[in-house]
Amino acid sequence: MNKGVKQDGDPGGHPSVFTNAHSAAAASPETKLLSAFKKDTRAGKVYLAGTEYYGEEGKTFELHLVGKIKQQLSADPTLRPEYPSSLGLTDFTRRATEVTLGRSSQEIADNRVLGVQTPGFTAAVRLGAELLRHWYDVTWCGPVYLSSPCDNSLAGIFQAAGIQDIREYYYWDDKQRGICLEKLLEDLERAPEQSVVVLSASAHYPTGADLSQNQWAVITQLIMRRRLFPFLLLPAQALCYGDLKRDAWPVQHCASQGMELLCAQSFSHCFSLYGEAVGHLLCIFKEHSLMLSARSQANKIVRSLWAQPSVGGAHVVATVLSNPAHLVEWQGEVKHIVERCMLIRHILREKLRLLGTPGCWDHLTQQGGLYCCTGLNDQQVEFLSKRRHVYLLPSGCLNVSAINGRNLDYIAESIHLALTASP
């Protein structure tokens, strides 16, 4: 073979400086699944591992109100292209903070809250991680605890910010097909003081199983007693209950207990702004002086990461949240999304019951939001992809909204076969 050309067609006899022997292994499960899905030539293949909301037609879509507001904003001659401050559009951060904590929030009244607009949910987590690293030995000095399972990108985000000690706490129990509070509390009880605990406030990804208000009460008491630091996540706010405030109840509860916290939020899903990712980092402090210090530090960090976030999507969100009529219309559209997802859960559960599928499937309707953990094991998930061309995450979790009238029967039959025909 000619030494000047490698088998893959790459010219030259020396490895590229960009070569990474572990790149394939490092790819996320979602990336691998999407690649396999695209290579699959079967006409009836079904992809259930996406993170966006899919309508009945099987495509992501724009809310009617959002499309209307975009047209109005683009035609408004008073709005000129602008660079927002590093911390984002002021009207957006104010509205996002108020809708999460409530306008009468004591934390807002005391000026102990910092809101920062970010280019999406991931950026909000990254900014929070960077602030934590800056506060090391001041606010916290222990490891960061993530739920098991969780979004696979979270560990990498914290590590990219220089935080390497990442641990897990028990969350989802495959046998119970639900949250195991006892084991969760045991893991947090063993966590060193001043550890950071990353908790999903609502729409837990990828399981869809959220803590109840009673469970939150128990966990917050442990966090305060053990002097842990809460980092809350709201990746699909409003798509659990159809209400921004209700989805944010855990944030308000923690704040009411006098806890300092960080909360990463996304308004992309609930406003169908997938091409204009709108994220927000909410920080609550015990003292006004601490907020001012964090604001200065956040400004420096943002300038080194993305300089300024884009204002288009933030303008849309701020316009809706500041107009009572728009807010009512938007809530109606979001409520329809939530009701459709819940209806899909009920119908899928009934289909599996009628097929005589082994096991109890009540957990499908006990979860909420876009995501659902079926309880299928690795072998059954592999059976679905290879034999039925139905793609789920390796953990057996799926995006409920990707199920529609055209593929629901096929998915139910495929799950039934995975449990009855696979070894």
Side-chain angles (χ1 to χ4, degrees):
M1 182 185 294
N2 186 343
K3 293 183 179 181
V5 180
K6 294 187 286 184
Q7 281 184 304
D8 61 4
D10 183 24
H14 301 286
S16 167
V17 294
F18 299 106
T19 300
N20 181 357
H22 302 289
S23 59
S28 70
E30 293 88 345
T31 302
K32 293 179 181 178
L33 280 170
L34 187 57
S35 176
F37 175 76
K38 289 180 177 179
K39 291 178 181 177
D40 191 340
T41 57
R42 188 181 186 278
K45 60 186 180 178
V46 183
Y47 186 69
L48 302 177
T51 58
E52 301 87 356
Y53 172 75
Y54 299 93
E56 188 61 26
E57 298 301 317
K59 301 178 181 179
T60 57
F61 75 104
E62 184 177 74
L63 295 178
H64 174 72
L65 175 64
V66 170
K68 183 170 63 176
I69 290 176
K70 282 183 177 180
Q71 290 182 342
Q72 292 174 349
L73 293 175
S74 63
D76 189 344
T78 65
L79 287 178
R80 299 177 179 178
E82 61 177 304
Y83 279 115
S85 73
S86 298
L87 302 184
L89 194 67
T90 303
D91 194 28
F92 164 75
T93 57
R94 182 175 68 254
R95 300 294 179 182
T97 299
E98 289 176 350
V99 80
T100 303
L101 295 178
R103 289 188 177 181
S104 59
S105 160
Q106 188 61 48
E107 294 75 30
I108 295 177
D110 293 342
N111 202 11
R112 296 186 286 111
V113 181
L114 171 65
V116 182
Q117 181 192 341
T118 64
F121 174 73
T122 298
V125 177
R126 175 61 186 273
L127 177 58
E130 293 282 353
L131 287 172
L132 285 172
R133 188 186 61 164
H134 176 71
W135 296 331
Y136 190 79
D137 284 335
V138 179
T139 303
W140 73 288
C141 60
V144 171
Y145 280 81
L146 304 176
S147 68
S148 177
C150 69
D151 185 333
N152 288 283
S153 67
L154 287 177
I157 295 172
F158 281 98
Q159 289 167 346
I163 301 172
Q164 303 302 320
D165 192 354
I166 310 295
R167 305 182 190 181
E168 294 182 339
Y169 63 86
Y170 205 95
Y171 190 82
W172 172 264
D173 188 286
D174 286 322
K175 293 181 180 179
Q176 294 183 13
R177 294 189 174 182
I179 298 170
C180 185
L181 182 64
E182 293 78 12
K183 293 183 179 179
L184 186 158
L185 294 174
E186 288 175 6
D187 285 347
L188 296 189
E189 194 70 57
R190 289 193 293 264
E193 286 192 355
Q194 292 186 299
S195 295
V196 173
V197 182
V198 179
L199 294 157
S200 173
S202 71
H204 180 270
Y205 180 79
T207 70
D210 289 324
L211 297 163
S212 68
Q213 292 189 2
N214 288 336
Q215 289 172 328
W216 269 107
V218 175
I219 290 172
T220 50
Q221 289 301 313
L222 185 151
I223 287 175
M224 290 188 292
R225 176 170 53 80
R226 295 285 301 139
R227 297 180 63 212
L228 307 178
F229 186 87
F231 192 140
L232 306 185
L233 305 179
L234 279 167
Q237 192 169 348
L239 293 187
C240 220
Y241 298 106
D243 185 281
L244 285 167
K245 295 179 182 178
R246 189 174 177 189
D247 273 25
W249 178 88
V251 185
Q252 294 184 15
H253 175 70
C254 290
S256 70
Q257 302 300 304
M259 301 168 68
E260 290 187 300
L261 62 85
L262 296 176
C263 178
Q265 304 168 265
S266 172
F267 293 86
S268 302
H269 288 283
C270 58
F271 283 87
S272 63
L273 294 166
Y274 295 112
E276 305 166 75
V278 183
H280 186 249
L281 180 69
L282 183 68
C283 315
I284 300 178
F285 305 92
K286 288 186 177 180
E287 299 175 8
H288 172 65
S289 60
L290 296 174
M291 186 278 291
L292 293 177
S293 175
R295 182 184 180 88
S296 175
Q297 188 61 33
N299 189 60
K300 294 178 182 177
I301 294 170
V302 167
R303 288 181 179 276
S304 68
L305 290 176
W306 54 77
Q308 297 100 2
S310 59
V311 298
H315 266 306
V316 172
V317 177
T319 300
V320 172
L321 296 183
S322 61
N323 185 310
H326 286 337
L327 190 57
V328 169
E329 184 178 348
W330 172 82
Q331 286 178 329
E333 290 196 73
V334 172
K335 185 178 181 181
H336 173 74
I337 290 174
V338 172
E339 289 176 345
R340 174 179 173 267
C341 287
M342 187 52 68
L343 179 62
I344 290 170
R345 291 174 182 275
H346 280 280
I347 295 175
L348 179 59
R349 183 188 66 176
E350 184 64 11
K351 293 278 186 183
L352 294 173
R353 186 188 69 80
L354 293 174
L355 288 170
T357 307
C360 176
W361 296 92
D362 288 345
H363 62 286
L364 297 181
T365 56
Q366 292 167 354
Q367 301 163 6
L370 297 182
Y371 318 116
C372 169
C373 200
T374 61
L376 300 177
N377 61 36
D378 292 343
Q379 292 75 23
Q380 292 160 348
V381 171
E382 185 178 8
F383 173 89
L384 287 175
S385 61
K386 291 188 175 180
R387 299 287 297 277
R388 302 289 292 179
H389 306 272
V390 176
Y391 294 86
L392 281 67
L393 289 169
S395 56
C397 298
L398 57 83
N399 184 331
V400 176
S401 70
I403 303 174
N404 54 55
R406 296 189 304 278
N407 61 27
L408 195 150
D409 285 337
Y410 182 77
I411 291 169
E413 292 168 3
S414 298
I415 292 176
H416 177 77
L417 289 173
L419 273 84
T420 58
S422 62

